Amino acid sequence: METKILKTTSADIKTAGEIIKNGGLVAFPTETVYGLGANALNEQAVSKIYAAKGRPSDNPLIVHIAEKEDIIPLVKEVTPNAQKLIDAFFPAPLTIILPKSGKIGKTVSGGLSTVAVRMPQHPVARALIKAAGAPVAAPSANTSGLPSPTNAKYVIEDMNGKIDAVIDGGSCEFGIESTVITLAGETPVILRPGAVTKDMLEEVLGKVEISKAVLEGMKNGETATSPGMKYKHYSPKAKIIIINGNKEKYEKFVNSRSNAFALCFEDDKINIPKVTFGKEGDDLSQSHSLFNALRKLDELGAEKAYARNPKLSGVGLAVYNRLIRAAAFNVIDLDKPFVIGLTGQSGAGKSYIADKLKRQGFNIVDADYYSKKITENNSCVFPELQREFGKDIAKDGKLQRQLLADRAFASPESTAKLNKIMHPAILKLCIEAAEFPCVLDAPQLFESGANGLCSKTVAVIAPEELRLKRIMKRDGITKEQAKQRINAQHSEEFFKENSDFIIINDGRDTDIQIKTLSEKIV
Ligand code: TXA
Ligand code: MG
């Protein structure tokens, strides 16, 4: 199929309207991003949208209307809250979800009992809907998974030969998709943030919630309120890593890197190749250029890009919501000394994994080493230990280890007291030794609270039989003793629940796991 490139003249819009009337597909500009439109009431035409985008069939489309009252036949009822939003905002970068009427087919609504409706601001979009003589179903006009197109060039890149026509209307004002709010439940919930912000909506509706999925990734097995949230999104080919930290910290970090791009703000002083997305503190300029910047990275052949972190207020929340998905939720926090906190079950082979990470270029700080160091002669922790456990636990500047152990491990309370003294002192030394990119190797990562100092946590686990064997061999103890030790520690479930990544060290593909992990993280 040849894809026609149309202009915004009334003759061309009329042609585009005819194409949609006849069951074809037309991409068109809106104030948010380009949409890929079909007659929303023609299921066969709508199914072509899914095919052209490679979109999963359970991810419903937004139905676009030209006039406020055009919503009435599409929904069961225009509820009072819906009416308030329509009066206050329409036409707007705002999509309202309501229970659907019988006019809305299965395909357009992805099998759901609700329908998403939006009245766009863009005059070309509305003229097209009028010319088509029907509501127009339109997702963003990109291949599923890629950044949404904000100009005709990127629509053509994805859709050439797959759709009937594109109307070239220049670049889109907001640059990110509309705010999606559902009114189908008791409280209005924002499913996707956009240029119509939570504050603006609350002024009209009162209390509005933000869906958890806006800021967080979906856990395995979780069901999405908005089906779109469960799919990979906005991903350029380049691997994006968000760098959390102020301008100075970001610049210093990025300028010390090589083989990467900076995805930064316009005024950042950067010495490596860069692509910018707006100005610091100006969320609308950031939303306007984010998707273009992601596409630009690919054009420039970037393999990796370190991104500035937008502020989460106002439209910044929407910018962050897109960027965090483009980054597959990968964030390095420069306010934290360690990139990875490494922990795991006794005998699972944590040190072996640390060694492999070292060969991948990470600097390792071994908490065990510093926990020994802190108990050396005349240590700074002695006065506190003496206050808690008796003067005689240190003699001539030397720690009486056995005595301390007898007293500290006598009850859980006294062990907790020991940890309260030791953990902060050990961590202080670890932090002093940290050099980017740093792994903190700490058996008591979670107990000490050190996980809060790490951008990501990684736990090493292994089958119990293997761990028993390793512990017996390493420490020269019996199977029963080894078992006792294992039982006193956190379970595999604990580590799975609390860590960002798990490495299964059963001697099989650890190298591949480590490579994947380090590629994911830095
Ligand atoms: O700005 C926009 O909204 C653009 C322009 C073209 O209007 N359109 C757009 O559509 O972004 P799309 O399909 O790329 O995103 C629609 C989002 C998806 O995440 C989808 O899952 C969600 O809205 N959605 C649609 N209908 C829904 C429904 N009934 N319930 C929950 N979520 C729905
Ligand atoms: Mg989309």
Side-chain angles (χ1 to χ4, degrees):
M1 171 193 305
E2 193 206 335
T3 302
K4 278 199 198 87
I5 298 176
L6 302 174
K7 296 209 175 62
T8 55
T9 58
S10 41
D12 273 7
I13 291 175
K14 194 165 170 244
T15 306
E18 288 301 318
I19 295 174
I20 290 184
K21 266 188 191 157
N22 292 327
L25 300 185
V26 177
F28 60 97
T30 82
E31 71 279 19
T32 58
V33 300
Y34 273 72
L36 177 54
N39 179 349
L41 307 180
N42 176 342
E43 290 274 284
Q44 214 180 350
V46 169
S47 67
K48 290 187 198 162
I49 293 180
Y50 288 90
K53 278 180 67 80
R55 179 171 174 121
S57 61
D58 65 349
N59 191 4
L61 309 178
I62 296 173
V63 178
H64 295 68
I65 54 175
E67 299 295 340
K68 293 180 187 179
E69 58 272 21
D70 294 346
I71 191 175
I72 298 168
L74 306 177
V75 299
K76 233 183 210 158
E77 182 202 351
V78 178
T79 61
N81 272 347
Q83 194 58 53
K84 281 186 202 165
L85 292 182
I86 292 166
D87 292 342
F89 296 109
F90 272 18
L94 174 68
T95 297
I96 299 175
I97 293 173
L98 286 168
K100 68 178 186 182
S101 74
K103 273 198 138 188
I104 297 292
K106 263 213 308 261
T107 313
V108 70
S109 63
L112 297 180
S113 59
T114 50
V115 63
V117 183
R118 167 160 122 81
M119 177 179 172
Q121 261 168 15
H122 201 296
V124 173
R126 292 229 303 286
L128 173 67
I129 300 164
K130 281 200 174 133
V136 170
S140 49
N142 51 286
T143 300
S144 227
L146 296 188
S148 303
T150 55
N151 60 45
K153 176 178 137 189
Y154 293 139
V155 175
I156 292 161
E157 213 171 85
D158 284 14
M159 293 297 154
N160 197 20
K162 297 182 182 166
I163 63 176
D164 299 279
V166 185
I167 303 176
D168 185 348
S171 81
C172 302
E173 181 190 348
F174 292 109
I176 53 171
E177 310 87 342
S178 61
T179 304
V180 177
I181 186 168
T182 177
L183 301 177
E186 226 153 77
T187 319
V189 182
I190 297 174
L191 301 180
R192 181 175 73 184
V196 177
T197 63
K198 179 172 189 266
D199 284 352
M200 291 159 75
L201 291 163
E202 286 196 323
E203 224 166 89
V204 176
L205 294 179
K207 178 95 191 108
V208 169
E209 282 171 13
I210 297 187
S211 164
K212 204 167 86 165
V214 163
L215 293 178
E216 290 171 20
M218 296 259 312
K219 297 240 164 67
N220 284 339
E222 225 174 316
T223 49
T225 351
S226 181
M229 286 184 208
K230 71 184 171 198
Y231 297 109
K232 194 174 145 176
H233 249 111
Y234 318 120
S235 315
K237 290 187 197 80
K239 175 185 156 188
I240 310 290
I241 300 171
I242 297 180
I243 303 298
N244 192 31
N246 64 23
K247 178 177 160 73
E248 286 71 34
K249 279 189 184 170
Y250 173 83
E251 288 170 346
K252 185 164 169 243
F253 170 83
V254 167
N255 287 332
S256 71
R257 307 276 96 199
S258 55
N259 302 327
F261 275 66
L263 180 57
C264 58
F265 296 143
E266 276 161 29
D267 294 331
D268 292 341
K269 294 192 180 61
I270 301 297
N271 305 327
I272 64 171
K274 66 173 182 179
V275 172
T276 62
F277 69 108
K279 288 199 180 70
E280 174 139 43
D282 178 355
D283 49 14
L284 281 171
S285 75
Q286 292 163 16
S287 80
H288 176 74
S289 23
L290 177 67
F291 285 147
N292 260 356
L294 293 175
R295 294 251 178 185
K296 191 96 176 273
L297 282 171
D298 282 350
E299 281 174 2
L300 295 170
E303 285 180 3
K304 190 196 288 185
Y306 294 112
R308 268 313 281 283
N309 201 2
K311 280 224 172 66
L312 295 192
S313 52
V315 182
L317 179 71
V319 178
Y320 179 81
N321 167 269
R322 309 309 192 273
L323 189 59
I324 191 85
R325 281 165 174 75
F329 294 90
N330 203 357
V331 180
I332 292 178
D333 191 342
L334 296 182
D335 295 328
K336 295 181 176 177
F338 309 105
V339 175
I340 295 176
L342 182 68
T343 190
Q345 299 170 305
S346 179
K350 193 170 52 62
S351 315
Y352 173 77
I353 300 297
D355 212 49
K356 289 200 177 272
L357 284 168
K358 191 172 173 183
R359 267 178 262 159
Q360 292 285 327
F362 288 95
N363 298 310
I364 312 292
V365 165
D366 179 358
D368 275 345
Y369 170 82
Y370 290 102
S371 76
K372 288 194 187 97
K373 201 158 174 75
I374 202 90
T375 53
E376 278 173 3
N377 296 353
N378 294 315
S379 160
C380 59
V381 290
F382 286 0
E384 257 190 284
L385 288 176
Q386 285 177 315
R387 216 173 300 134
E388 198 59 63
F389 297 104
K391 267 241 166 290
D392 53 342
I393 63 115
K395 216 187 220 165
D396 304 328
K398 270 203 172 109
L399 186 68
Q400 306 304 301
R401 287 177 194 279
Q402 193 54 51
L403 202 57
L404 176 64
D406 290 345
R407 289 177 190 165
F409 299 129
S411 70
E413 292 76 33
S414 50
T415 309
K417 280 177 184 159
L418 175 72
N419 287 340
K420 208 173 158 202
I421 298 170
M422 300 296 280
H423 284 158
I426 297 165
L427 280 179
K428 189 165 171 264
L429 294 184
C430 291
I431 291 168
E432 278 165 17
E435 231 176 280
F436 189 88
C438 189
V439 174
L440 174 66
D441 174 353
Q444 303 220 17
L445 186 76
F446 292 107
E447 294 86 336
S448 64
N451 56 316
L453 301 171
C454 308
S455 290
K456 290 273 187 277
T457 54
V458 176
V460 186
I461 61 173
E464 183 164 313
E465 272 309 305
L466 200 59
R467 288 161 51 217
L468 285 172
K469 260 192 218 149
R470 285 180 187 150
I471 297 172
M472 284 156 63
K473 190 166 164 212
R474 185 186 70 194
D475 301 342
I477 56 177
T478 66
K479 194 166 182 176
E480 278 61 45
Q481 287 169 318
K483 221 171 195 154
Q484 252 177 11
R485 210 178 276 180
I486 283 182
N487 288 341
Q489 293 169 346
H490 285 308
S491 64
E492 190 169 306
E493 281 64 46
F494 173 88
F495 288 113
K496 281 185 176 161
E497 245 164 58
N498 290 286
S499 313
D500 297 311
F501 296 97
I502 293 287
I503 291 183
I504 303 168
N505 186 23
D506 59 2
R508 277 184 290 181
D509 55 359
T510 43
D511 281 339
I512 299 172
Q513 292 184 62
I514 298 236
K515 195 156 175 276
T516 315
L517 174 75
S518 77
E519 275 170 5
K520 255 204 174 118
I521 292 185
V522 291

